[in-house]
């Protein structure tokens, strides 16, 4: 090692990131090793030993620091992303431990400004909005598990007042905590209509395949067949003037009703309040105020659709989806079939899909993706960063950037996604910006940068500007 210990100690006091990868700092009193840039409180020089690489530090009995994540750095991962995902997981598990954004920043070992930048790039939310979301989801989980005292629940969720808890709960779930608790003992519930919800757009979107065997639109009612707590069930959503009435047929019990409630919010695009986008881009939103990014019932359904829709026209993609759902045969209700889960699709053979007019490559891609999800090797439920999910999706055979971005946008609700290469998007951009030709990938990125951090909703508006129903 060509530097003196005194010089290296000066570098760690300065948190000099230029020395990351050149040397590791071992802290003998805590038994950990760190990157020179580690934001943790610095040890006394007498307690420090320097190492050339990880094997040398580990041979001395030291383990990697959980704040600066030297193990992630040496694997070539983004250390900032690793730290962010670690603190997000902590907040999901115990939201009351993070009463304000500053607590998140401290746990992540960074300043608030840097934390907000990372949230913008990876989470597509402000840190405060993320904390609100995980607090209310934590409260919903506790109610479904049988916790009854709402005052205690408010405090346990990280709220200083019952009124603040009730307001946040109503805004995020469409009902009061007491109404949610009552709902768990029933098979139906009512939500206040989201302000400005474009009901006809919701019905047209979910009913865009008029021959679908898993969705059906009748008047102002949407029926969606799905697997609820492992049982084929039907979610029926009726749109009234100022409310949405929802009923569940099939699965029963608090967990099933809680699942049905969450599914309803997804189908309505509940978390996608468009007001910030409309204020920033009134010209693109004009005439479509209230448009939201509507989600599939779960992320795996979005992944299946994205694979089926690759390089075929919509009519053929719809037919493939219908045939796949019929093949698995999760029949429920009035000639409806639930969308199959990953395990059931993974159990199919390539020959089963070839008989349905799948190409061999598409069949192999679908079965591989289903097997990865079913085995737990690919986690797409409950993920906190778009970057992490995109990385894992892109590792799948047959999953390119368009497929990954589509799943992020429509399966997981991330707000700043861009399905580069989408033919509908490029046509809409050509018309909107009055271009002589459709933009290529680089120009698409450049044109859509104007709409960040709302590129998911901008994509929906551009699709809708073609006078069709987005896929």
């Amino acid at each position: 090692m060509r530097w003196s210990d005194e010089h290296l100690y000066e570098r760690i006091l300065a948190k000099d990131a230029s020395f990351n990868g050149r040397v590791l700092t071992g802290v003998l009193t805590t038994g950990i090793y760190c990157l020179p840039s580690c934001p943790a409180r610095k040890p006394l020089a007498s307690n420090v030993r320097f190492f050339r690489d990880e094997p040398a530090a580990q041979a001395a009995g030291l383990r990697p620091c959980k704040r600066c994540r030297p193990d992630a750095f040496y694997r070539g991962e983004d250390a900032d992303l690793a730290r962010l995902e670690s603190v997000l997981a902590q907040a999901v598990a115990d939201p009351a431990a993070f009463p304000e954004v500053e607590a998140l920043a401290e746990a992540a070992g960074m300043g608030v400004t840097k934390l907000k930048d990372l949230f913008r790039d990876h989470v597509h939310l402000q840190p405060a909005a993320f904390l609100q979301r995980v607090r209310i989801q934590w409260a919903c989980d506790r109610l479904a598990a049988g916790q009854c005292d709402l005052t205690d629940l408010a405090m346990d969720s990280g709220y200083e007042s019952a009124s603040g808890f009730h307001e946040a709960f109503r805004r995020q779930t469409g009902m009061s905590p007491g109404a949610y608790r009552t709902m768990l003992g029933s098979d139906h519930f009512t939500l206040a209509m989201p302000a400005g919800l474009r009901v006809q757009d919701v019905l047209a979107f979910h009913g865009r395949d008029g021959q679908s065997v898993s969705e059906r639109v009748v008047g102002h009612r949407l029926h969606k067949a799905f697997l609820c707590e492992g049982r084929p069930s039907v979610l029926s959503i009726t749109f009234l003037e100022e409310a949405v009435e929802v009923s569940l047929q099939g699965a029963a019990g608090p967990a099933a009703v809680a699942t049905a409630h969450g599914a309803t919010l997804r189908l309505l695009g509940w978390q996608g309040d468009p007001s910030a986008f409309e204020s920033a881009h009134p010209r693109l939103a004009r005439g479509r105020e209230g448009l939201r990014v509507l989600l599939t019932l779960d992320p795996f359904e979005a992944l299946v659709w994205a694979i089926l829709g690759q390089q075929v026209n919509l009519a053929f993609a719809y037919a493939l989806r219908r045939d796949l759902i019929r093949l698995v045969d999760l029949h429920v209700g009035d000639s409806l079939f639930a969308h199959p889960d990953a395990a059931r699709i993974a159990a199919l053979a390539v020959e089963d899909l070839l008989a349905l007019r799948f190409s061999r490559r598409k069949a192999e891609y679908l079965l591989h993706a289903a097997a990865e999800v079913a085995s737990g090797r690919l986690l797409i439920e409950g993920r906190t960063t778009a970057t992490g999910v995109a990385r894992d999706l892109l590792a799948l055979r047959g999953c390119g950037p368009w497929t990954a971005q589509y799943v992020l946008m429509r399966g997981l609700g991330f707000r700043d996604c861009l399905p580069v290469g989408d033919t509908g998007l490029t046509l809409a951009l050509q018309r909107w910006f009055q271009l002589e030709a459709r933009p290529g990938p680089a120009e698409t990125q450049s044109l859509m940068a104007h709409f960040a951090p709302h590129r998911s909703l901008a994509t929906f508006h551009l699709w809708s500007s073609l006078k069709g129903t987005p896929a």
Side-chain angles (χ1 to χ4, degrees), residues 162-342:
S163 61
F165 170 63
H166 279 244
E167 175 58 30
F169 195 101
R170 185 184 297 276
R171 186 168 56 249
Q172 188 159 310
T173 68
M175 56 177 62
S176 69
Y180 189 93
R181 181 178 57 190
T182 300
M183 173 199 78
L184 295 170
S186 180
D187 61 358
H188 61 276
F189 53 91
T190 301
L191 304 176
M193 183 82 76
L197 183 70
R198 297 169 63 91
V199 173
Q200 290 304 321
D201 284 357
V202 175
L203 293 170
F205 182 78
H206 292 300
R208 61 197 184 281
D209 175 12
Q211 302 177 59
S212 174
V213 295
S214 61
E215 302 91 5
R216 179 171 301 144
V217 171
V218 181
H220 279 73
R221 179 172 294 175
L222 166 64
H223 302 282
K224 170 68 177 178
F226 72 120
L227 278 173
C228 183
E229 299 299 303
R231 180 177 176 183
S233 305
V234 175
L235 186 69
S236 297
I237 304 173
T238 303
F239 296 89
L240 307 176
E241 286 190 11
E242 298 182 354
V244 179
E245 290 186 348
V246 184
S247 63
L248 177 65
Q249 172 195 344
V257 179
T259 298
H261 174 268
T264 301
L265 299 187
R266 291 177 60 86
L267 296 176
L268 300 181
W270 192 277
Q271 302 291 353
D273 181 359
S275 57
F277 172 83
E278 291 173 3
S279 296
H281 304 285
R283 193 167 73 91
L284 181 57
R286 188 172 300 128
R288 290 184 298 272
E289 290 84 358
L291 185 70
R292 294 169 178 248
V293 176
L294 306 174
L295 306 187
T296 55
L297 192 135
D298 61 54
F300 180 67
E301 186 175 335
L303 177 57
V304 172
W305 171 249
I307 293 172
L308 297 186
Q310 292 172 350
Q311 299 179 341
V312 298
N313 61 55
L314 277 178
F316 188 50
Y318 289 151
L320 291 178
R321 181 175 183 268
R322 291 193 300 266
D323 291 343
L324 173 67
I325 293 170
R326 286 195 190 98
L327 175 65
V328 179
D329 194 21
L330 298 171
H331 183 262
V332 58
D334 183 17
S335 62
L336 287 174
F337 298 80
H339 191 286
D341 59 3

Side-chain angles (χ1 to χ4, degrees), residues 402 421-430 438 459 462-463 465-466:
W402 178 89
D422 184 271
T423 56
L425 178 60
T426 56
L427 176 59
L429 285 171
Q430 180 187 4
R438 292 193 186 195
T459 297
L462 287 162
W463 278 338
S465 73
L466 300 175

Side-chain angles (χ1 to χ4, degrees), residues 10 22 65 67 84-85 109 118 120 130 178 214 287-288 290 317 323 395 401 444 462:
E10 290 176 358
R22 301 181 181 185
C65 172
R67 293 193 72 176
L84 177 65
E85 291 188 330
L118 291 175
R120 179 197 62 221
F130 172 83
S214 61
R288 290 184 298 272
D323 291 343
T444 296
L462 287 162

Side-chain angles (χ1 to χ4, degrees), residues 16 67 108 338 350:
D16 188 347
R67 293 193 72 176
V350 169

Side-chain angles (χ1 to χ4, degrees), residues 48 53 91 104 117 127 129 133 161 171 214 217 244 254 263 277 290 304-305 326 333 369 372 376 379 399 408 427 449:
V48 171
D53 51 31
L104 270 181
D117 289 343
R133 182 175 295 186
S161 70
R171 186 168 56 249
S214 61
V217 171
V244 179
F277 172 83
V304 172
W305 171 249
R326 286 195 190 98
E372 291 296 291
L379 297 176
C399 182
L408 291 174
L427 176 59

Side-chain angles (χ1 to χ4, degrees), residues 18-53:
S18 71
F19 271 69
N20 290 350
R22 301 181 181 185
V23 67
L24 285 166
T25 304
V27 186
L28 305 183
T29 49
T30 59
I32 65 172
Y33 62 91
C34 303
L35 295 170
S37 63
C38 183
R41 183 178 178 180
K42 299 306 178 185
L44 296 174
S46 58
N47 296 327
V48 171
R49 181 180 169 192
F50 296 102
F51 298 91
R52 186 183 304 277
D53 51 31

